[in-house]
Amino acid sequence: MLSLLLSLALSSPTTAVRNGLGRTPQMGWNNWNSLGCDVSQDLLLSTSKVLLDTGLRDVGYNYVLLDDCWQGERGADGYITVDAAKFPMGMKPISDRLHDDGLLFGMYSSAGELTCAKHEGSLDHEVADAQSYASWGVDYLKYDNCYPLGRSGTPKISFDRYNAMAQALKATGRSIFYSLCSWGEDYVHSWGMSIANSWRVSGDIYDHFNRPDILCSCTDPRDPHCAAPGTHCSVMNIVNRVAAYVDRGGPGGWNDLDMLEVGQGGMTDDEYVAHFSLWAALKSPLLIGADIRTLPAKALTILNNPAVIAVNQDPIGRPAMRVRQDMNVKKDKYGEGEVQIWSGPLYPHDQLVLLVNAADEDMTITTDLNEIFVHEGPEGSAPQTKHKYAIHDLWADRMSDREAERILKNGIKSDSHAWYNATETGYKDGLLAGDERLLGRKIGEISPKSAELKVKIPRHGVKMYRLRAPGDVPARYALTKQEL
Ligand code: GLA
């Protein structure tokens, strides 16, 4: 009965903010991680060209997001102006160009007197600013949390402050994706879904896999009262923070684990693969943070893996949940080290399994169907444990470095390889059609008889599998007409 109730609850789609946006996590590029305040119209236009040339737009990254530092003064009429030295054309011609290229345009402000880089914020100017964004053709607003004039500290106070902009955006009549950046404060995971399409869950990410830093002060991931989410939060810190409420994300509104660091240079290739896999599995937005005009080839082969992106863009939109955290492993010089296993349903009746070796040595990790399906029923009681599954490795067909180098040099058009074009066929249709590029490479089987999945995983690496049930198993999650 419990499992029936659970599956009924899971199968009713979340309606969220009801602006029709964010059916799957947003994908795109944001300048902040790599370029900070060094923004300009040339940056946006040259980056959008790279998104097209490298095929990144077509693999799904279609939002071009301008972060802080674009603002001029606020005029006597109450309307915000644009820094004319950085954006001499103004914003509308930029959004027009992006739209012509099949891209969407996002901007940034703060629910405060000032933004985090101390430019004009939008607090108490929500209506005027939302009107400006709409008139500039903006499709997305990232809304930050700095300098809120003391209006924070309870869920209700923060909700009201963020809701003012939600209502102002709605009143413009333009479809604008609303992305909250309140760093997990005031239990945003409990109310973000009601007014927004995504909400940040932590302080700012930095380019380290697991190094603790005093600036990311919320070291106890179970403490919901973290007073200073801060910056310098590692990949594993953010993952541990969201683990307890990762299920709050779903179609229409997503937990935002912050922009990606892939390609920035501070982590190993294994660590970047782990970072990207976790963000995809937990259904975080996938927002490239590197300067893609100088992207390393290896980073491109992570960011453009369609089998992993298909997990993130899965039509049922269920974030993977953690089924194991084992702290009893070799620690590194920071005292950090753990193993985690994440698992979750994929359309139509597949299951994602993500094994994360965050220990300080290579490890052999073993799991079984009972553990993989523990959220469907304890101790092997879940019906899913009775089936046989084909195991598909989602990283086995990663693009070669040589191919990525060719693409970065000559552009995707001059290349003949069969990369996935989601602009032509969206992930949902590709999955429904059983496109091999989205399903990964079959490497074996797991069944109730041979129930063990045992794999060697390098230090700070992952294995990411799609377990495919035989076709005669009924789909576990029906999609509504609207979702189909
Ligand atoms: C905050 C946000 C970052 C970025 C900066 C800009 O720190 O969390 O993502 O937008 O502000 O100033």
Side-chain angles (χ1 to χ4, degrees):
M1 184 50 133
L2 182 65
S3 68
L4 178 68
L5 286 177
L6 192 67
S7 64
L8 281 176
L10 284 174
S11 61
S12 55
T14 319
T15 44
V17 63
R18 296 185 185 87
N19 62 4
L21 302 172
R23 299 304 305 167
T24 57
Q26 68 270 35
M27 295 177 65
W29 170 86
N30 174 304
N31 64 273
W32 182 257
N33 284 0
S34 51
L35 293 149
C37 278
D38 190 9
V39 292
S40 66
Q41 70 182 33
D42 290 347
L43 170 68
L44 299 184
L45 297 177
S46 57
T47 298
S48 65
K49 185 171 179 321
V50 179
L51 284 171
L52 263 60
D53 290 348
T54 54
L56 283 169
R57 178 199 67 179
D58 289 336
V59 88
Y61 299 93
N62 61 351
Y63 279 105
V64 174
L65 304 179
L66 168 62
D67 212 278
D68 206 347
C69 309
W70 56 264
Q71 304 87 345
E73 301 294 310
R74 187 172 292 284
D77 58 1
Y79 284 88
I80 187 82
T81 62
V82 170
D83 183 328
K86 292 173 175 171
F87 299 92
M89 305 194 295
M91 293 302 172
K92 183 69 169 63
I94 296 179
S95 73
D96 287 345
R97 290 231 204 143
L98 295 176
H99 293 155
D100 287 348
D101 282 340
L103 294 162
L104 295 163
F105 181 40
M107 289 185 72
Y108 162 102
S109 189
S110 180
E113 176 192 15
L114 300 172
T115 68
C116 295
K118 296 203 174 66
H119 294 275
E120 281 289 328
S122 295
L123 189 60
D124 300 331
H125 299 281
E126 293 86 356
V127 171
D129 287 359
Q131 285 171 359
S132 297
Y133 306 145
S135 73
W136 297 338
V138 168
D139 307 294
Y140 183 115
L141 179 68
K142 169 176 173 179
Y143 203 39
D144 213 337
N145 199 27
C146 278
Y147 306 103
L149 297 178
R151 288 185 235 166
S152 69
T154 71
K156 174 74 175 128
I157 296 172
S158 284
F159 174 86
D160 288 347
R161 184 163 48 94
Y162 278 96
N163 192 29
M165 183 56 90
Q167 298 310 322
L169 292 173
K170 199 170 166 194
T172 67
R174 186 174 172 83
S175 216
I176 300 180
F177 189 108
Y178 189 34
S179 156
L180 307 187
C181 181
S182 61
W183 318 316
E185 280 187 10
D186 289 341
Y187 305 94
V188 65
H189 61 275
S190 72
W191 51 265
M193 179 65 99
S194 306
I195 56 168
N197 300 110
S198 65
W199 50 90
R200 280 270 301 277
V201 297
S202 70
D204 290 6
I205 192 170
Y206 83 149
D207 197 10
H208 279 279
F209 186 65
N210 67 351
R211 180 185 169 275
D213 190 292
I214 191 65
L215 282 177
C216 181
S217 62
C218 304
T219 45
D220 177 0
R222 296 201 180 106
D223 173 14
H225 304 290
C226 170
T231 60
H232 289 192
C233 298
S234 69
V235 163
M236 290 310 292
N237 176 290
I238 295 173
V239 164
N240 284 330
R241 182 148 287 279
V242 76
Y245 48 82
V246 69
D247 59 334
R248 301 302 172 94
W254 307 98
N255 292 297
D256 177 355
L257 278 59
D258 206 356
M259 281 98 61
L260 296 161
E261 295 286 0
V262 177
Q264 294 266 70
M267 293 188 228
T268 65
D269 184 61
D270 281 333
E271 290 171 340
Y272 280 141
V273 167
H275 168 29
F276 191 69
S277 302
L278 280 158
W279 264 229
L282 276 58
K283 306 286 192 281
S284 172
L286 297 179
L287 300 174
I288 301 170
D291 182 351
I292 56 171
R293 299 168 304 175
T294 53
L295 193 70
K298 266 211 180 312
L300 182 65
T301 70
I302 295 174
L303 296 167
N304 72 3
N305 181 339
V308 174
I309 297 173
V311 167
N312 183 256
Q313 298 293 301
D314 186 87
I316 59 169
R318 307 286 167 204
M321 293 191 277
R322 195 160 69 191
V323 296
R324 189 197 301 178
Q325 181 182 31
D326 184 358
M327 307 299 288
N328 194 19
V329 295
K330 186 167 181 225
K331 307 287 183 199
D332 60 18
K333 60 183 174 186
Y334 309 120
E336 298 288 315
E338 57 185 302
V339 161
Q340 300 195 2
I341 301 180
W342 293 75
S343 170
L346 296 172
Y347 191 77
H349 39 54
D350 296 356
Q351 186 78 5
L352 175 78
V353 186
L354 178 63
L355 303 110
V356 184
N357 177 13
D360 196 31
E361 62 183 348
D362 297 353
M363 284 194 65
T364 297
I365 301 176
T366 308
T367 183
D368 58 26
L369 291 175
N370 292 358
E371 182 172 51
I372 290 167
F373 289 106
V374 70
H375 289 299
E376 312 288 340
E379 304 301 335
S381 63
Q384 292 84 0
T385 60
K386 312 291 181 272
H387 297 297
K388 178 166 93 179
Y389 297 85
I391 304 172
H392 288 239
D393 184 338
L394 301 184
W395 282 106
D397 292 327
R398 180 177 173 185
M399 180 183 280
S400 71
D401 291 353
R402 275 188 59 199
E403 193 165 0
E405 275 155 22
R406 272 207 307 274
I407 290 171
L408 288 171
K409 197 159 159 239
N410 305 325
I412 196 89
K413 287 186 198 76
S414 60
D415 205 272
S416 61
H417 86 290
W419 112 109
Y420 192 76
N421 187 336
T423 302
E424 280 170 9
T425 310
Y427 284 96
K428 183 180 64 194
D429 291 333
L431 287 166
L432 291 174
D435 190 306
E436 295 289 319
R437 290 166 297 180
L438 305 186
L439 299 175
R441 189 195 300 170
K442 186 175 170 190
I443 56 153
E445 287 186 344
I446 182 168
S447 69
K449 279 190 203 133
S450 59
E452 235 179 39
L453 178 58
K454 190 172 179 179
V455 275
K456 191 161 184 217
I457 307 182
R459 172 187 176 272
H460 294 187
V462 294
K463 289 287 177 187
M464 192 175 194
Y465 300 123
R466 176 186 281 266
L467 304 190
R468 303 218 66 205
D472 54 355
V473 176
R476 286 162 63 200
Y477 297 98
L479 293 179
T480 62
K481 258 193 197 143
Q482 183 200 8
E483 286 165 322
L484 278 169

